[in-house]
Amino acid sequence: MFGKPRQLETESELYEVAVRALMRRAHSVHEMKKLLARRTDNDLLVQVVMARLKENGQLDDSRYAKQFVRQRTEIRRQGKFRIARDLRARGIPDRHVDSAIADAANPETEAVTIRTRLQRKLKLLSTAKKGATLDDKKVASLYRSLLRAGFSSDAIRRELHTLTHAEVPAIDNADDST
């Protein structure tokens, strides 16, 4: 798709590229290292710029993880398992992922978020088909969509049970980490 970007020779040019990237959005240390490595073949230059960014406080995985978790829980309404997977994919160490999720963890908030997502999905189902009932296929579909969003299976079953007033069976092959 895109060719290799123009190779940079000096620390100031590489630092400017890093700062411009950080102005667009926050980056993890791993992402920034990849971005800078694409722009130069000099590993020492990448290390110097990375050290300068960390020293200036412009690059911090702990702060990045906390910001990412807050944004994903409040705006996108995602669950902790999905957020953890996304952070790990961005190269954030597990200690930062776990602490950021623990800081933001609130069981009441998770239940409210699940309920909100369920109500929105049910509203879409009811407008699509007038007089539609909630059969087993639709319950299973809702369950899977909430699992993909990163919520725990126990919390999903609890909210589906209160919504449908029927016992929601446990699914044997459900994996909370997906």
Side-chain angles (χ1 to χ4, degrees):
M1 185 169 178
F2 293 109
K4 195 167 184 178
R6 183 176 66 88
Q7 296 296 297
L8 303 175
E9 304 291 328
T10 66
E11 178 189 344
S12 62
E13 289 176 328
L14 199 59
Y15 182 76
E16 187 176 320
V17 165
V19 169
R20 280 198 315 264
L22 287 170
M23 285 175 15
R24 286 189 295 274
R25 73 168 181 88
H27 286 72
S28 68
V29 171
H30 176 75
E31 290 174 319
M32 184 58 69
K33 195 177 290 185
K34 269 179 46 177
L35 185 140
L36 295 178
R38 281 182 45 101
R39 297 304 300 260
T40 185
D41 293 328
N42 188 347
D43 290 336
L44 181 62
L45 199 58
V46 171
Q47 291 175 357
V48 168
V49 171
M50 292 294 293
R52 186 172 166 192
L53 290 169
K54 288 178 185 177
E55 184 180 302
N56 293 341
Q58 294 169 311
L59 208 54
D60 181 16
D61 274 348
S62 176
R63 187 180 66 224
Y64 177 79
K66 288 177 184 173
Q67 173 191 356
F68 190 88
V69 168
R70 185 175 36 81
Q71 187 257 343
R72 292 292 177 105
T73 54
E74 292 175 4
I75 297 171
R76 290 195 183 183
R77 307 269 190 234
Q78 292 178 337
K80 63 183 176 181
F81 297 112
R82 169 79 181 265
I83 295 169
R85 185 184 70 209
D86 290 348
L87 279 171
R88 287 185 181 102
R90 291 172 183 262
I92 304 294
D94 286 342
R95 67 179 185 276
H96 296 309
V97 171
D98 295 339
S99 73
I101 288 177
D103 289 347
N106 186 353
E108 294 86 31
T109 307
E110 183 181 38
V112 169
T113 304
I114 292 172
R115 222 172 294 127
T116 305
R117 287 181 75 111
L118 280 171
Q119 289 169 348
R120 189 179 76 225
K121 295 258 187 196
L122 289 174
K123 189 191 308 183
L124 289 172
L125 283 174
S126 67
T127 58
K129 297 178 183 177
K130 298 291 183 204
T133 60
L134 199 60
D135 61 354
D136 289 343
K137 277 181 139 177
K138 289 179 185 165
V139 170
S141 174
L142 290 169
Y143 182 83
R144 286 190 308 270
S145 73
L146 289 167
L147 271 179
R148 280 191 305 274
F151 298 104
S152 70
S153 58
D154 292 337
I156 296 169
R157 277 196 302 277
R158 198 170 33 254
E159 293 305 317
L160 279 172
H161 174 70
T162 59
L163 180 72
T164 61
H165 305 294
E167 189 60 39
V168 179
I171 298 177
D172 294 335
N173 61 357
D175 183 14
D176 283 344
S177 64
T178 57

